[in-house]
Amino acid sequence: MADDAYIEYMTRQVDQFREQGRWVLGPDVSFMVRGARFDEDGIYLDYDVEPGPGKRGLVDLPDRRVLMELLARTYHVRSKWADRETGRDRRLPPESWDELVMRHFPVYRCGLAVGAGWGDLLMATADWIGEVDPYYPGFVDVKDKMGGLELAGPVSDVDIVDDIIASAEQLSEFICEVCGKPGWNRDGRTVCRDHE
Ligand SMILES: [Zn+2]
């Protein structure tokens, strides 16, 4: 039987995903979160988003479906760390998170000069790219520029890879660099309320 604490954890993730997705998409895009399911590997969010390119002001953003799928995958990665007994969120070890990510995802061929809070996003990004383009040569520069993630690497022959990369860069502006909770870019640093 499913653990109550984990169900509560999942419910919190659903609410958080709904709110964060709304921040990312803006108020005019149709976006509905139905719920989530889980297995031994973590949680999977169930949602619908109106297709089409995202837009913020005059800036073109990646396809909304890719954007939200990457966000959902980031929640899935984070849920692997959650404590099943207590339903408590856990973080990547701040002192060694980058070694861990690089060991599991050789697509990062350089140091990860960003905060630990983006670790789940980086793992979800690498995981998805690995699925669609297993021969992608990898990133040569990963850095934080004014509170936004920048991933530098060759252009892939697989179209969706560009959108995945652009989505990771876009989503980073809504994920606290320190702890991975929903955040905002404030004066060139993306942080949650606790890390302002
Ligand atoms: Zn934070």
Side-chain angles (χ1 to χ4, degrees):
M1 203 177 78
D3 192 352
D4 288 350
Y6 198 65
I7 302 268
E8 262 173 49
Y9 166 80
M10 192 163 70
T11 308
R12 284 201 307 276
Q13 299 305 298
V14 167
D15 291 343
Q16 196 172 296
F17 177 70
R18 184 182 291 121
E19 189 184 7
Q20 196 173 19
R22 183 49 68 203
W23 295 354
V24 173
L25 293 166
D28 303 327
V29 176
S30 162
F31 171 59
M32 196 179 76
V33 184
R34 287 203 207 88
R37 64 186 175 82
F38 72 96
D39 61 18
E40 65 282 351
D41 208 28
I43 66 167
Y44 304 85
L45 290 150
D46 182 19
Y47 65 93
D48 259 333
V49 63
E50 190 183 337
K55 219 171 196 14
R56 190 171 60 180
L58 297 172
V59 185
D60 281 325
L61 301 176
D63 189 294
R64 290 178 203 130
R65 281 165 300 183
V66 180
L67 200 57
M68 296 320 286
E69 178 61 18
L70 184 60
L71 186 59
R73 283 169 177 254
T74 301
Y75 275 70
H76 174 69
V77 169
R78 190 175 312 144
S79 71
K80 293 172 189 277
W81 294 89
D83 189 316
R84 292 251 169 171
E85 299 297 314
T86 63
R88 220 176 275 145
D89 224 344
R90 278 194 302 206
R91 286 160 57 181
L92 285 164
E95 63 292 337
S96 58
W97 74 274
D98 49 341
E99 286 164 35
L100 217 126
V101 171
M102 289 170 77
R103 198 181 324 136
H104 288 284
F105 299 100
V107 75
Y108 297 112
R109 293 170 45 215
C110 56
L112 306 176
V114 299
W118 289 348
D120 300 320
L121 175 65
L122 289 174
M123 285 192 272
T125 301
D127 205 32
W128 198 1
I129 291 174
E131 276 174 33
V132 293
D133 185 3
Y135 299 107
Y136 185 70
F139 297 105
V140 293
D141 197 19
V142 177
K143 67 181 175 203
D144 179 341
K145 192 176 170 194
M146 301 297 289
L149 172 67
E150 267 200 356
L151 293 171
V155 174
S156 167
D157 297 331
V158 182
D159 282 346
I160 195 174
V161 171
D162 270 358
D163 258 5
I164 296 172
I165 294 169
S167 294
E169 293 177 339
Q170 169 71 15
L171 290 174
S172 69
E173 307 229 12
F174 297 91
I175 298 173
C176 176
E177 301 176 21
V178 182
C179 71
K181 283 190 193 143
W184 292 98
N185 190 334
R186 295 173 173 93
D187 305 323
R189 208 168 157 256
T190 300
V191 283
C192 68
R193 281 183 200 100
D194 298 339
H195 292 109
E196 271 181 294

